[in-house]
């Protein structure tokens, strides 16, 4: 509405300008009148055309207005037609995409093989695995993650899910437990063969015996044997440890193992003797005292256990035992 | 060795790694079925891994087997000498690319199945996707290297390249088998996997019905192998490894078998499971529910009932695991359980009656385990034994498997009056405790324990062997249960209907 008024006003001014010239008078006053009317008309047509321009061409405002005005003013009649036609033509053109500016960048140092991570970071593994309502796929991934965790921690978790309702979970857990066990049993078989073939009293014989003691203990330590099998593994390990001790009676580490085995088999007195021997052979106190305290506890000697734990209180190097030490040091 | 040959047959059985070269539950079942229908002319396609993996035939071929073909997927024919650079058919390789895109696309499997149907006939001899192009053409190389760049999370291209090759090579072999096979009026596969894939191909090109009877669930059993297998490489270093992810090659193999199963399910109708849980598993793996139903195994009472009279008055302290010595049977758990059984009943013996040639490495591990547990004298490896001779001498059949379907051994034991102790897998609980209320009312015919729990297995066995009254009761319940629900007559009646329908079907 406003625009049509603009153009009507412009036409009115222009026609009055020309009509004043057409009267034939050639005085300066008439020329001035014509120029004034023509300028007003040009200004109106310029603002009319400016309003129609696509916004990206309408800036900066003043120069564009001046240009349009100049066209209309300096080229009478044709200038008007040109400005209007030009604006109309511009409106028909498809908008041109802005020019993108490219610049070279360095390739980021990302390992492409890391691309498809699942980002599974679950705390509380046991609770999560035991939750049979959780999506199977996430639980499977949680299980797979257990592959990189030591057997002592992973085995009980894996055994827990052997009774899971989902067969996939059960089977994966079984497979992982089985392969841990398989590796140990393979090693046991190798060392047993080696022991069998070694000449008596040779260094090789002693080495194989020690390794067998270690491997059977490992079955227990990684919690891979339960019940009678655990007992069997303990007795095997004990047998080999005693054989090794016969050849190397002053080995403190062997005495410590001997004590652990005796203790696990429920023989606290024999265990204590072995621990004492390890101590006299120079095994650091921090390693032996917690076991001695355990033996004292097993024997219902609570005062003894407390005395031992108090002794430990002076040592700062046992962060995992701190709560236990703190408990026993309370008076 | 010459095999029977014929120009055509009624039913063509597609058997992977089973009858007649491997003895076991599925093989006995196939033997049973063939002999139950003497009027039907059977052809058999046996598919194995390598010729060296199998000895001689373990079963005499019934007379109505008119045709037998034996193929080994991993006996490669001599490779093409000095292959020339070549181009493959671009349209065919585009189809391959599309198919693999569909595989990766989560959601409906229909586009993948459709892409598969389009590309499958092209691998047949004369098609636009010959094996040579897969092995040597530029297009194949490009698809493989693109797959590696875009998908593979394992850094080794060499391993990726050869995994792709070794994985796909058998498909062309199967296509050649399908192409050359004699015509049959219906195809019957006893597993998905390679045999199932062959069935799907045959169904598509010959337009005859494909019947699928699954005992175990093939895809699942493959997964067990793949989770455990140590030959699949993982080359990721400690920085590249996401601890929650299986190695890429392991995932590739698992997906491969999942899709092989899908193709087979899509082509097969009917799809028969042994019991409800397996049927549900088939449906979850892509089988259309309306095509599935259950037919439980059944055994011949005539054969086993007379054995009951041969039993001694008190149960012999012999625990017997009847089955192949392979990891899925978890023979090691049985051996471990024997440690405890011998602690409690020093005169007890554990027998392992089954062939050891299928996985000699595992069999050796089992023997070593018995030795390291100090019970080598109580655990006896008997090799393959005739079940009829075994049954009167044993007190319990033991099943320590980590996966089973509906084990014939339990039923055979029942029929001969021998109760069982089994792990809680497949339909074992239903076989021991009963399924429907009437069945359950009979009482337990043995005991069920968790997998990989030697202590519980031993305790259950000791409880039965140490209490003659409980043993007698379980034995009687077993006999009643097998006579009522698991006879071969019931099973044959089902299959008679299945075969009649398939043989009478019009060409698709």
């Amino acid at each position: 509405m406003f625009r049509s008024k603009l153009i009507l006003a412009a036409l009115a001014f222009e026609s009055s300008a020309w009509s004043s010239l057409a009267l034939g008078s050639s005085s300066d006053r008439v020329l001035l009148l014509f120029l004034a009317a023509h300028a007003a008309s040009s200004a109106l047509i310029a603002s009319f055309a400016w309003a129609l321009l696509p916004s990206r061409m309408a800036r900066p405002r003043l120069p564009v207005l001046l240009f349009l005005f100049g066209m209309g003013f300096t080229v009478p009649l044709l200038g008007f037609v040109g400005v209007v036609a030009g604006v109309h033509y511009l409106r028909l053109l498809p908008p041109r995409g802005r020019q993108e500016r490219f610049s070279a960048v360095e390739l980021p140092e990302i390992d492409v093989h890391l691309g498809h991570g699942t980002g599974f970071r679950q705390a509380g593994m046991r609770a999560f695995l035991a939750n049979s309502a959780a999506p199977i796929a996430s639980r499977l991934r949680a299980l797979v993650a257990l592959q990189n965790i030591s057997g002592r921690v992973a085995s009980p978790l894996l055994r827990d899910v052997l009774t899971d309702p989902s067969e996939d979970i059960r089977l994966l857990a079984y497979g992982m437990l089985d392969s841990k066990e398989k590796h140990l049993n393979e090693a046991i078989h190798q060392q047993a063969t080696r022991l069998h073939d070694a000449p008596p009293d040779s260094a090789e014989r002693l080495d194989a015996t020690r390794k067998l003691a270690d491997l059977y203990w490992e079955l227990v330590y990684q919690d891979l044997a339960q019940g009678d099998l655990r007992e069997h593994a303990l007795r095997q390990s004990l047998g080999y440890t005693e054989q090794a001790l016969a050849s190397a009676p002053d080995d403190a580490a062997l005495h410590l193992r001997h004590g652990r085995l005796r203790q696990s088999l429920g023989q606290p007195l024999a265990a204590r003797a072995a621990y004492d021997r390890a101590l006299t052979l120079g095994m650091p106190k921090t390693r032996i005292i917690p076991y001695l305290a355990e033996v004292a506890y097993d024997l219902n000697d609570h005062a003894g256990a407390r005395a031992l734990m108090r002794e430990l209180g002076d040592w700062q190097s046992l962060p995992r035992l701190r709560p236990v030490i703190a408990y026993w040091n309370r008076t | 060795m010459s095999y029977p040959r014929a120009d055509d047959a009624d039913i063509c059985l597609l058997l992977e790694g089973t009858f007649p070269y491997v003895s076991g539950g599925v093989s006995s079942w196939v033997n049973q079925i063939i002999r139950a229908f003497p009027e039907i002319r059977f052809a058999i396609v046996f598919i194995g891994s390598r010729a060296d993996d199998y000895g001689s035939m373990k079963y005499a071929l019934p007379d109505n087997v008119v045709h037998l073909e034996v193929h080994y997927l991993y006996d490669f024919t001599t490779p093409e000498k000095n292959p020339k650079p070549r181009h493959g058919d671009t349209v065919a390789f585009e189809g391959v690319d599309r198919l693999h895109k569909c595989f990766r696309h989560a959601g409906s499997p229909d586009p993948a199945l459709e892409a598969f149907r389009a590309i499958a006939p092209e691998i047949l001899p004369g098609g636009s996707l010959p094996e040579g192009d897969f092995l040597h053409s530029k297009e194949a190389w490009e698809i493989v290297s693109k797959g590696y760049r875009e998908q593979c999370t394992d850094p080794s291209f060499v391993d990726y390249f050869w995994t792709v090759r070794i994985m796909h090579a058998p498909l062309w072999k199967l296509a050649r088998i399908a192409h050359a096979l004699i015509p049959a009026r219906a195809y019957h596969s006893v597993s998905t996997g390679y045999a199932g894939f062959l069935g799907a191909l045959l169904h598509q090109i010959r337009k005859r019905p494909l019947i699928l009877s699954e005992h175990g669930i093939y895809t699942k059993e493959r997964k067990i192998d793949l989770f455990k297998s140590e030959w699949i490489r993982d080359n990721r270093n400690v920085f590249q490894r996401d601890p929650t992810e299986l190695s890429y090659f392991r995932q590739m193999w698992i997906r491969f078998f999942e899709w092989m199963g899908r193709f087979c399910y899509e082509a097969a109708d009917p799809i028969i499971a042994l019991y409800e849980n397996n049927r549900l598993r088939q449906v979850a793996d892509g089988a259309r529910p309306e095509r599935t139903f259950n037919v439980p195994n059944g055994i011949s009472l005539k054969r086993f009932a007379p054995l009951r009279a041969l039993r001694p008055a008190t149960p012999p302290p012999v625990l017997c695991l009847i089955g192949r010595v392979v990891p899925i049977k978890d023979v090691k758990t049985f051996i471990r359980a024997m440690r405890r059984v011998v602690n409690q009943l020093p005169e007890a013996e554990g027998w392992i009656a089954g062939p050891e040639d299928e996985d000699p490495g595992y069999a050796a591990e089992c023997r070593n385990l018995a030795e390291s547990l100090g019970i080598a004298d109580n655990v006896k490896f008997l090799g393959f034994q005739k079940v009829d001779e075994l049954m009167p001498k044993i007190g319990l059949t033991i099943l320590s498997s980590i996966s089973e379907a509906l084990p014939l051994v339990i039923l055979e034991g029942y029929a001969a009056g021998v109760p069982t102790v089994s792990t809680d897998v497949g339909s074992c609980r239903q076989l021991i405790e009963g399924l429907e209320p009437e069945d359950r009312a009979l009482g337990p015919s043995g005991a069920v324990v968790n997998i990989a729990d030697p202590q519980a297995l031993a305790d259950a066995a000791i409880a039965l062997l140490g209490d003659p009254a409980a043993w007698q009761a379980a034995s009687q319940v077993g006999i009643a249960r097998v006579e009522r629900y698991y006879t071969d007559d019931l099973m044959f009646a089902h299959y008679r209907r299945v075969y009649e329908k398939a043989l009478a079907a019009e060409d698709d």
Side-chain angles (χ1 to χ4, degrees), chain A residues 111 113-114 118 145 163 167 174 181 189 228 232, chain B residues 220 240 242-244 330 336 340 343 368 372 450:
Chain A
D111 189 330
H113 302 292
L114 274 177
T118 50
T163 51
E167 190 163 22
Y174 168 81
E181 227 164 319
H189 177 67
D228 289 29
H232 175 77
Chain B
K220 185 185 76 193
Q240 294 166 326
D242 176 346
T244 64
D330 197 9
R336 291 190 187 107
R340 179 166 173 82
N343 284 353
N368 294 339
S372 84
N450 285 326

PDB file of all heavy atoms in Angstrom, chain A residues 111 113-114 118 145 163 167 174 181 189 228 232, chain B residues 220 240 242-244 330 336 340 343 368 372 450:
ATOM      1  N   ASP A 111      43.535 -42.216  15.666  1.00  0.00           N
ATOM      2  CA  ASP A 111      43.683 -43.577  15.190  1.00  0.00           C
ATOM      3  C   ASP A 111      42.332 -44.053  14.673  1.00  0.00           C
ATOM      4  O   ASP A 111      41.379 -44.160  15.425  1.00  0.00           O
ATOM      5  CB  ASP A 111      44.157 -44.462  16.344  1.00  0.00           C
ATOM      6  CG  ASP A 111      44.532 -45.828  15.841  1.00  0.00           C
ATOM      7  OD1 ASP A 111      43.933 -46.248  14.836  1.00  0.00           O
ATOM      8  OD2 ASP A 111      45.417 -46.454  16.430  1.00  0.00           O
ATOM      9  N   HIS A 113      41.344 -46.839  13.853  1.00  0.00           N
ATOM     10  CA  HIS A 113      40.878 -48.127  14.378  1.00  0.00           C
ATOM     11  C   HIS A 113      40.154 -47.978  15.699  1.00  0.00           C
ATOM     12  O   HIS A 113      39.543 -48.902  16.191  1.00  0.00           O
ATOM     13  CB  HIS A 113      42.057 -49.075  14.528  1.00  0.00           C
ATOM     14  CG  HIS A 113      42.759 -49.264  13.234  1.00  0.00           C
ATOM     15  ND1 HIS A 113      42.179 -49.915  12.176  1.00  0.00           N
ATOM     16  CD2 HIS A 113      43.954 -48.825  12.796  1.00  0.00           C
ATOM     17  CE1 HIS A 113      42.997 -49.891  11.162  1.00  0.00           C
ATOM     18  NE2 HIS A 113      44.083 -49.236  11.506  1.00  0.00           N
ATOM     19  N   LEU A 114      40.259 -46.789  16.266  1.00  0.00           N
ATOM     20  CA  LEU A 114      39.561 -46.559  17.522  1.00  0.00           C
ATOM     21  C   LEU A 114      38.124 -46.115  17.283  1.00  0.00           C
ATOM     22  O   LEU A 114      37.359 -45.961  18.207  1.00  0.00           O
ATOM     23  CB  LEU A 114      40.283 -45.470  18.316  1.00  0.00           C
ATOM     24  CG  LEU A 114      41.437 -45.957  19.181  1.00  0.00           C
ATOM     25  CD1 LEU A 114      42.091 -44.781  19.852  1.00  0.00           C
ATOM     26  CD2 LEU A 114      40.953 -46.939  20.209  1.00  0.00           C
ATOM     27  N   THR A 118      32.573 -48.253  21.990  1.00  0.00           N
ATOM     28  CA  THR A 118      31.239 -48.370  22.570  1.00  0.00           C
ATOM     29  C   THR A 118      31.117 -47.500  23.803  1.00  0.00           C
ATOM     30  O   THR A 118      30.022 -47.242  24.262  1.00  0.00           O
ATOM     31  CB  THR A 118      30.972 -49.814  22.974  1.00  0.00           C
ATOM     32  OG1 THR A 118      32.091 -50.251  23.748  1.00  0.00           O
ATOM     33  CG2 THR A 118      30.831 -50.688  21.762  1.00  0.00           C
ATOM     34  N   ALA A 145      34.971 -57.258  29.098  1.00  0.00           N
ATOM     35  CA  ALA A 145      35.934 -56.371  29.741  1.00  0.00           C
ATOM     36  C   ALA A 145      36.673 -57.091  30.866  1.00  0.00           C
ATOM     37  O   ALA A 145      37.801 -56.748  31.188  1.00  0.00           O
ATOM     38  CB  ALA A 145      35.223 -55.141  30.283  1.00  0.00           C
ATOM     39  N   THR A 163      25.041 -69.199  36.236  1.00  0.00           N
ATOM     40  CA  THR A 163      23.658 -69.639  36.375  1.00  0.00           C
ATOM     41  C   THR A 163      22.697 -68.596  35.803  1.00  0.00           C
ATOM     42  O   THR A 163      21.508 -68.637  36.074  1.00  0.00           O
ATOM     43  CB  THR A 163      23.315 -69.844  37.863  1.00  0.00           C
ATOM     44  OG1 THR A 163      23.696 -68.660  38.562  1.00  0.00           O
ATOM     45  CG2 THR A 163      24.069 -71.001  38.433  1.00  0.00           C
ATOM     46  N   GLU A 167      21.592 -67.625  27.981  1.00  0.00           N
ATOM     47  CA  GLU A 167      22.568 -68.645  27.630  1.00  0.00           C
ATOM     48  C   GLU A 167      23.863 -68.030  27.106  1.00  0.00           C
ATOM     49  O   GLU A 167      24.955 -68.511  27.395  1.00  0.00           O
ATOM     50  CB  GLU A 167      21.969 -69.583  26.583  1.00  0.00           C
ATOM     51  CG  GLU A 167      22.834 -70.789  26.363  1.00  0.00           C
ATOM     52  CD  GLU A 167      22.114 -71.918  25.673  1.00  0.00           C
ATOM     53  OE1 GLU A 167      21.104 -71.632  25.013  1.00  0.00           O
ATOM     54  OE2 GLU A 167      22.577 -73.061  25.792  1.00  0.00           O
ATOM     55  N   TYR A 174      31.526 -69.032  30.925  1.00  0.00           N
ATOM     56  CA  TYR A 174      32.125 -70.354  31.006  1.00  0.00           C
ATOM     57  C   TYR A 174      33.409 -70.407  30.172  1.00  0.00           C
ATOM     58  O   TYR A 174      34.446 -70.886  30.629  1.00  0.00           O
ATOM     59  CB  TYR A 174      31.152 -71.428  30.505  1.00  0.00           C
ATOM     60  CG  TYR A 174      31.820 -72.751  30.290  1.00  0.00           C
ATOM     61  CD1 TYR A 174      32.052 -73.597  31.364  1.00  0.00           C
ATOM     62  CD2 TYR A 174      32.269 -73.128  29.037  1.00  0.00           C
ATOM     63  CE1 TYR A 174      32.706 -74.787  31.183  1.00  0.00           C
ATOM     64  CE2 TYR A 174      32.934 -74.317  28.849  1.00  0.00           C
ATOM     65  CZ  TYR A 174      33.146 -75.150  29.919  1.00  0.00           C
ATOM     66  OH  TYR A 174      33.814 -76.318  29.738  1.00  0.00           O
ATOM     67  N   GLU A 181      41.559 -71.642  33.243  1.00  0.00           N
ATOM     68  CA  GLU A 181      41.893 -72.912  33.846  1.00  0.00           C
ATOM     69  C   GLU A 181      42.767 -73.743  32.914  1.00  0.00           C
ATOM     70  O   GLU A 181      43.713 -74.404  33.336  1.00  0.00           O
ATOM     71  CB  GLU A 181      40.579 -73.656  34.087  1.00  0.00           C
ATOM     72  CG  GLU A 181      40.470 -74.259  35.440  1.00  0.00           C
ATOM     73  CD  GLU A 181      39.039 -74.613  35.719  1.00  0.00           C
ATOM     74  OE1 GLU A 181      38.141 -73.825  35.378  1.00  0.00           O
ATOM     75  OE2 GLU A 181      38.815 -75.701  36.262  1.00  0.00           O
ATOM     76  N   HIS A 189      50.796 -79.457  33.338  1.00  0.00           N
ATOM     77  CA  HIS A 189      51.178 -80.666  32.619  1.00  0.00           C
ATOM     78  C   HIS A 189      52.621 -80.569  32.113  1.00  0.00           C
ATOM     79  O   HIS A 189      53.399 -81.513  32.247  1.00  0.00           O
ATOM     80  CB  HIS A 189      50.217 -80.884  31.457  1.00  0.00           C
ATOM     81  CG  HIS A 189      50.576 -82.069  30.619  1.00  0.00           C
ATOM     82  ND1 HIS A 189      50.504 -83.357  31.098  1.00  0.00           N
ATOM     83  CD2 HIS A 189      51.038 -82.158  29.359  1.00  0.00           C
ATOM     84  CE1 HIS A 189      50.898 -84.199  30.159  1.00  0.00           C
ATOM     85  NE2 HIS A 189      51.230 -83.493  29.092  1.00  0.00           N
ATOM     86  N   ASP A 228      36.533 -79.866  46.900  1.00  0.00           N
ATOM     87  CA  ASP A 228      37.557 -80.906  46.906  1.00  0.00           C
ATOM     88  C   ASP A 228      38.708 -80.581  45.967  1.00  0.00           C
ATOM     89  O   ASP A 228      39.845 -80.977  46.204  1.00  0.00           O
ATOM     90  CB  ASP A 228      36.939 -82.244  46.497  1.00  0.00           C
ATOM     91  CG  ASP A 228      36.036 -82.799  47.581  1.00  0.00           C
ATOM     92  OD1 ASP A 228      35.469 -81.980  48.328  1.00  0.00           O
ATOM     93  OD2 ASP A 228      35.914 -84.032  47.677  1.00  0.00           O
ATOM     94  N   HIS A 232      42.519 -80.400  46.844  1.00  0.00           N
ATOM     95  CA  HIS A 232      43.492 -81.182  46.102  1.00  0.00           C
ATOM     96  C   HIS A 232      44.652 -80.293  45.633  1.00  0.00           C
ATOM     97  O   HIS A 232      45.821 -80.647  45.782  1.00  0.00           O
ATOM     98  CB  HIS A 232      42.827 -81.842  44.904  1.00  0.00           C
ATOM     99  CG  HIS A 232      43.771 -82.580  44.008  1.00  0.00           C
ATOM    100  ND1 HIS A 232      44.274 -83.815  44.322  1.00  0.00           N
ATOM    101  CD2 HIS A 232      44.342 -82.228  42.832  1.00  0.00           C
ATOM    102  CE1 HIS A 232      45.100 -84.208  43.379  1.00  0.00           C
ATOM    103  NE2 HIS A 232      45.160 -83.265  42.457  1.00  0.00           N
TER     104      HIS A 232
ATOM    105  N   LYS B 220      24.428 -70.696  17.679  1.00  0.00           N
ATOM    106  CA  LYS B 220      24.841 -70.557  19.070  1.00  0.00           C
ATOM    107  C   LYS B 220      26.093 -71.382  19.340  1.00  0.00           C
ATOM    108  O   LYS B 220      27.030 -70.920  19.983  1.00  0.00           O
ATOM    109  CB  LYS B 220      23.700 -71.035  19.963  1.00  0.00           C
ATOM    110  CG  LYS B 220      23.948 -70.845  21.422  1.00  0.00           C
ATOM    111  CD  LYS B 220      22.837 -71.453  22.239  1.00  0.00           C
ATOM    112  CE  LYS B 220      22.967 -72.958  22.282  1.00  0.00           C
ATOM    113  NZ  LYS B 220      21.772 -73.621  22.793  1.00  0.00           N
ATOM    114  N   GLN B 240      44.788 -49.033  21.494  1.00  0.00           N
ATOM    115  CA  GLN B 240      43.666 -49.155  20.554  1.00  0.00           C
ATOM    116  C   GLN B 240      42.538 -49.990  21.125  1.00  0.00           C
ATOM    117  O   GLN B 240      41.427 -49.952  20.640  1.00  0.00           O
ATOM    118  CB  GLN B 240      44.161 -49.820  19.269  1.00  0.00           C
ATOM    119  CG  GLN B 240      45.141 -48.962  18.514  1.00  0.00           C
ATOM    120  CD  GLN B 240      45.868 -49.774  17.460  1.00  0.00           C
ATOM    121  OE1 GLN B 240      46.143 -50.946  17.645  1.00  0.00           O
ATOM    122  NE2 GLN B 240      46.169 -49.141  16.348  1.00  0.00           N
ATOM    123  N   ASP B 242      39.579 -51.415  23.101  1.00  0.00           N
ATOM    124  CA  ASP B 242      38.468 -51.098  23.985  1.00  0.00           C
ATOM    125  C   ASP B 242      38.176 -52.402  24.724  1.00  0.00           C
ATOM    126  O   ASP B 242      37.786 -53.390  24.107  1.00  0.00           O
ATOM    127  CB  ASP B 242      37.255 -50.661  23.143  1.00  0.00           C
ATOM    128  CG  ASP B 242      36.048 -50.416  24.010  1.00  0.00           C
ATOM    129  OD1 ASP B 242      36.067 -50.835  25.179  1.00  0.00           O
ATOM    130  OD2 ASP B 242      35.093 -49.812  23.521  1.00  0.00           O
ATOM    131  N   PRO B 243      38.401 -52.409  26.025  1.00  0.00           N
ATOM    132  CA  PRO B 243      38.315 -53.691  26.732  1.00  0.00           C
ATOM    133  C   PRO B 243      36.940 -54.339  26.653  1.00  0.00           C
ATOM    134  O   PRO B 243      36.795 -55.525  26.894  1.00  0.00           O
ATOM    135  CB  PRO B 243      38.672 -53.327  28.173  1.00  0.00           C
ATOM    136  CG  PRO B 243      38.475 -51.866  28.284  1.00  0.00           C
ATOM    137  CD  PRO B 243      38.713 -51.305  26.925  1.00  0.00           C
ATOM    138  N   THR B 244      35.927 -53.556  26.310  1.00  0.00           N
ATOM    139  CA  THR B 244      34.597 -54.158  26.263  1.00  0.00           C
ATOM    140  C   THR B 244      34.279 -54.728  24.896  1.00  0.00           C
ATOM    141  O   THR B 244      33.188 -55.208  24.668  1.00  0.00           O
ATOM    142  CB  THR B 244      33.513 -53.121  26.612  1.00  0.00           C
ATOM    143  OG1 THR B 244      33.520 -52.115  25.605  1.00  0.00           O
ATOM    144  CG2 THR B 244      33.761 -52.496  27.955  1.00  0.00           C
ATOM    145  N   ASP B 330      32.024 -80.576  27.872  1.00  0.00           N
ATOM    146  CA  ASP B 330      32.701 -80.229  29.120  1.00  0.00           C
ATOM    147  C   ASP B 330      33.094 -81.459  29.927  1.00  0.00           C
ATOM    148  O   ASP B 330      32.756 -81.594  31.107  1.00  0.00           O
ATOM    149  CB  ASP B 330      31.831 -79.286  29.971  1.00  0.00           C
ATOM    150  CG  ASP B 330      32.661 -78.590  31.057  1.00  0.00           C
ATOM    151  OD1 ASP B 330      33.896 -78.722  31.018  1.00  0.00           O
ATOM    152  OD2 ASP B 330      32.072 -77.936  31.928  1.00  0.00           O
ATOM    153  N   ARG B 336      36.652 -83.518  36.942  1.00  0.00           N
ATOM    154  CA  ARG B 336      36.842 -82.825  38.226  1.00  0.00           C
ATOM    155  C   ARG B 336      35.864 -83.361  39.275  1.00  0.00           C
ATOM    156  O   ARG B 336      36.223 -83.528  40.439  1.00  0.00           O
ATOM    157  CB  ARG B 336      36.614 -81.323  38.044  1.00  0.00           C
ATOM    158  CG  ARG B 336      37.696 -80.680  37.231  1.00  0.00           C
ATOM    159  CD  ARG B 336      37.583 -79.166  37.269  1.00  0.00           C
ATOM    160  NE  ARG B 336      38.550 -78.626  36.347  1.00  0.00           N
ATOM    161  CZ  ARG B 336      38.263 -78.070  35.171  1.00  0.00           C
ATOM    162  NH1 ARG B 336      37.009 -77.938  34.802  1.00  0.00           N
ATOM    163  NH2 ARG B 336      39.211 -77.637  34.380  1.00  0.00           N
ATOM    164  N   ARG B 340      35.976 -85.607  43.557  1.00  0.00           N
ATOM    165  CA  ARG B 340      35.180 -85.621  44.798  1.00  0.00           C
ATOM    166  C   ARG B 340      34.476 -86.961  44.983  1.00  0.00           C
ATOM    167  O   ARG B 340      34.422 -87.484  46.099  1.00  0.00           O
ATOM    168  CB  ARG B 340      34.150 -84.496  44.769  1.00  0.00           C
ATOM    169  CG  ARG B 340      33.277 -84.468  46.019  1.00  0.00           C
ATOM    170  CD  ARG B 340      32.503 -83.184  46.150  1.00  0.00           C
ATOM    171  NE  ARG B 340      31.559 -83.241  47.252  1.00  0.00           N
ATOM    172  CZ  ARG B 340      31.878 -83.022  48.527  1.00  0.00           C
ATOM    173  NH1 ARG B 340      33.122 -82.757  48.850  1.00  0.00           N
ATOM    174  NH2 ARG B 340      30.958 -83.091  49.469  1.00  0.00           N
ATOM    175  N   ASN B 343      36.847 -89.293  46.379  1.00  0.00           N
ATOM    176  CA  ASN B 343      37.104 -88.990  47.791  1.00  0.00           C
ATOM    177  C   ASN B 343      36.060 -89.647  48.683  1.00  0.00           C
ATOM    178  O   ASN B 343      36.368 -90.111  49.779  1.00  0.00           O
ATOM    179  CB  ASN B 343      37.053 -87.477  48.036  1.00  0.00           C
ATOM    180  CG  ASN B 343      38.312 -86.791  47.533  1.00  0.00           C
ATOM    181  OD1 ASN B 343      39.258 -87.461  47.124  1.00  0.00           O
ATOM    182  ND2 ASN B 343      38.328 -85.474  47.557  1.00  0.00           N
ATOM    183  N   ASN B 368      45.275 -85.455  30.667  1.00  0.00           N
ATOM    184  CA  ASN B 368      46.230 -84.790  31.553  1.00  0.00           C
ATOM    185  C   ASN B 368      45.566 -84.321  32.835  1.00  0.00           C
ATOM    186  O   ASN B 368      46.156 -84.383  33.910  1.00  0.00           O
ATOM    187  CB  ASN B 368      46.850 -83.571  30.863  1.00  0.00           C
ATOM    188  CG  ASN B 368      47.703 -83.991  29.691  1.00  0.00           C
ATOM    189  OD1 ASN B 368      48.142 -85.139  29.633  1.00  0.00           O
ATOM    190  ND2 ASN B 368      47.924 -83.086  28.763  1.00  0.00           N
ATOM    191  N   SER B 372      46.580 -85.059  36.573  1.00  0.00           N
ATOM    192  CA  SER B 372      46.997 -84.048  37.542  1.00  0.00           C
ATOM    193  C   SER B 372      46.090 -84.049  38.766  1.00  0.00           C
ATOM    194  O   SER B 372      46.475 -83.572  39.819  1.00  0.00           O
ATOM    195  CB  SER B 372      47.059 -82.662  36.894  1.00  0.00           C
ATOM    196  OG  SER B 372      45.788 -82.077  36.890  1.00  0.00           O
ATOM    197  N   ASN B 450      24.006 -77.155  38.000  1.00  0.00           N
ATOM    198  CA  ASN B 450      24.455 -76.050  37.154  1.00  0.00           C
ATOM    199  C   ASN B 450      25.670 -76.456  36.315  1.00  0.00           C
ATOM    200  O   ASN B 450      26.379 -77.388  36.666  1.00  0.00           O
ATOM    201  CB  ASN B 450      24.832 -74.856  38.014  1.00  0.00           C
ATOM    202  CG  ASN B 450      23.597 -74.171  38.546  1.00  0.00           C
ATOM    203  OD1 ASN B 450      22.561 -74.129  37.865  1.00  0.00           O
ATOM    204  ND2 ASN B 450      23.674 -73.664  39.759  1.00  0.00           N
TER     205      ASN B 450
END
